[in-house]
Amino acid sequence: MNLDLKNKIAVITGGSVGIGLAVAKALAQEGVHLAICARDEERLQAVTRDIEKEYGVKVIGVKADVSKAPDIDHFAAVIAEHFEKVDILINNAGTGSSEKIMDAPDEKWYYYWDLHVMAAIRTAKTIVPLMKKNGGVIINSASIAATQPMWYEPIYNVTKIALVMLSKCLANELITHHIRVNSISPGLILTPDWVKTAKILSPEKNISWEEYLDQVAKENNPLGRFASPEELANFYVFLCSSRADFCIGSNYYVDGGQLKVIL
Ligand code: NDP
């Protein structure tokens, strides 16, 4: 299938590891130039150099914490210096949480609201102007937990379902500018974020973090396994391409059959 993505420009938040990195590499393989951001600058710049070298595309890496409005403004300004337009925006930066609603302080709710919801609003406001001439694609990384909540992370579940609704509303607003907005809700994808979660929760069960991940896979997924970030990235690439031009305002599950209902 010719995806017709060569020389497109993609912006990916949280592109230095895990799902964001796999999507960055999969797009680079199609000839897409990239602007990626993350907080850990050393890792970000190393990844930037690696992708440029391996795929021969232009990649800029900008240190930014997308939970902070000034960092998003700075990221967008650097993008505008390097590229004349943007074709694809992927709001991917995010992380799991662990709390009880009765104990969690307000500040924690506000942090995740900024990270998962306001970040997507702020990147839309700063980057859509770079898209408006030629149209574009926005994909927001939501989660199966937005629909089928994970017991230990209510703040994550709530902010991710808000992101799904934001995606729908933004799709309605931007469709006349030929900008397609969708969200993707992955199931279990084996990334450093899951290793972090397993290291926090495994001591409660008196098992190793590797055993914890194995249990999570067997208890939650009918295939009994996690997907790799690369398996998931294939779907992102398709949705970015003009082959998916009629895909607008939806939330797509890529979950190995984990969702227990039809939506
Ligand atoms: P990882 O923790 O593996 O990677 C997260 C990426 O985002 C890193 O590049 C990280 O870099 C960056 N990041 C995190 N916080 C910020 C921030 N405040 N500002 C800028 N960059 C940030 O996560 P995953 O790859 O697992 O997850 C990616 C997305 O997919 C998340 O939104 C997650 O909720 C979602 N998701 C993941 C699933 C999974 O099973 N893994 C399932 C469903 C959804 P740095 O730390 O340097 O900032």
Side-chain angles (χ1 to χ4, degrees):
M1 190 185 287
N2 176 10
L3 295 174
D4 202 19
L5 283 166
K6 200 169 166 49
N7 289 324
K8 300 277 187 197
I9 317 290
V11 173
I12 305 176
T13 70
S16 62
V17 74
I19 294 168
L21 176 59
V23 173
K25 286 185 173 175
L27 287 172
Q29 197 166 18
E30 297 296 321
V32 175
H33 307 289
L34 301 166
I36 58 178
C37 77
R39 295 162 303 175
D40 177 339
E41 178 142 44
E42 205 178 312
R43 180 167 66 182
L44 178 68
Q45 297 309 339
V47 158
T48 299
R49 286 191 298 275
D50 285 352
I51 300 176
E52 272 192 331
K53 201 165 147 205
E54 190 170 350
Y55 300 101
V57 293
K58 176 172 172 172
V59 188
I60 60 163
V62 181
K63 180 181 159 85
D65 179 339
V66 296
S67 70
K68 299 188 170 124
D71 282 26
I72 292 181
D73 290 344
H74 174 68
F75 184 35
V78 177
I79 292 166
E81 274 168 29
H82 285 265
F83 297 112
E84 284 179 2
K85 52 147 190 155
V86 168
D87 302 293
I88 297 161
L89 165 63
I90 299 178
N91 286 300
N92 168 75
T95 190
S97 63
S98 173
E99 63 279 321
K100 295 264 188 281
I101 295 170
M102 300 309 281
D103 301 334
D106 288 4
E107 292 69 32
K108 190 168 186 185
W109 283 95
Y110 288 128
Y111 173 72
Y112 276 84
W113 179 257
D114 277 334
L115 176 62
H116 290 155
V117 185
M118 291 311 300
I121 295 169
R122 290 168 177 150
T123 55
K125 285 169 96 168
T126 50
I127 289 167
V128 163
L130 299 171
M131 274 183 179
K132 270 194 173 154
K133 219 165 70 191
N134 304 299
V137 176
I138 299 178
I139 299 176
N140 294 324
S141 291
S143 170
I144 190 174
T147 316
Q148 194 163 279
M150 296 294 267
W151 59 271
Y152 59 86
E153 52 181 359
I155 295 183
Y156 182 80
N157 302 332
V158 169
T159 52
K160 285 292 184 176
I161 191 63
L163 179 61
V164 172
M165 182 52 84
L166 170 73
S167 307
K168 182 66 180 169
C169 296
L170 193 61
N172 293 340
E173 197 168 315
L174 294 181
I175 192 164
T176 48
H177 297 284
H178 304 286
I179 295 171
R180 296 189 290 112
V181 185
N182 290 286
S183 52
I184 295 180
S185 283
L188 301 177
I189 314 297
L190 194 49
T191 67
D193 199 38
W194 261 110
V195 174
K196 181 192 87 176
T197 301
K199 284 182 177 166
I200 294 170
L201 296 176
S202 54
E204 280 174 25
K205 297 194 160 198
N206 224 4
I207 54 176
S208 70
W209 64 267
E210 292 92 338
E211 287 167 329
Y212 180 88
L213 287 178
D214 195 44
Q215 264 188 21
V216 168
K218 296 210 161 86
E219 281 169 13
N220 290 285
N221 190 281
L223 297 176
R225 70 168 178 90
F226 282 74
S228 69
E230 290 73 25
E231 278 181 279
L232 174 64
N234 293 326
F235 188 69
Y236 276 74
V237 172
F238 167 74
L239 204 52
C240 287
S241 79
S242 57
R243 299 288 166 262
D245 269 354
F246 217 55
C247 298
I248 298 171
S250 284
N251 177 39
Y252 296 96
Y253 294 93
V254 183
D255 67 351
Q258 187 179 339
L259 191 67
K260 291 188 169 64
V261 293
I262 294 176
L263 288 173

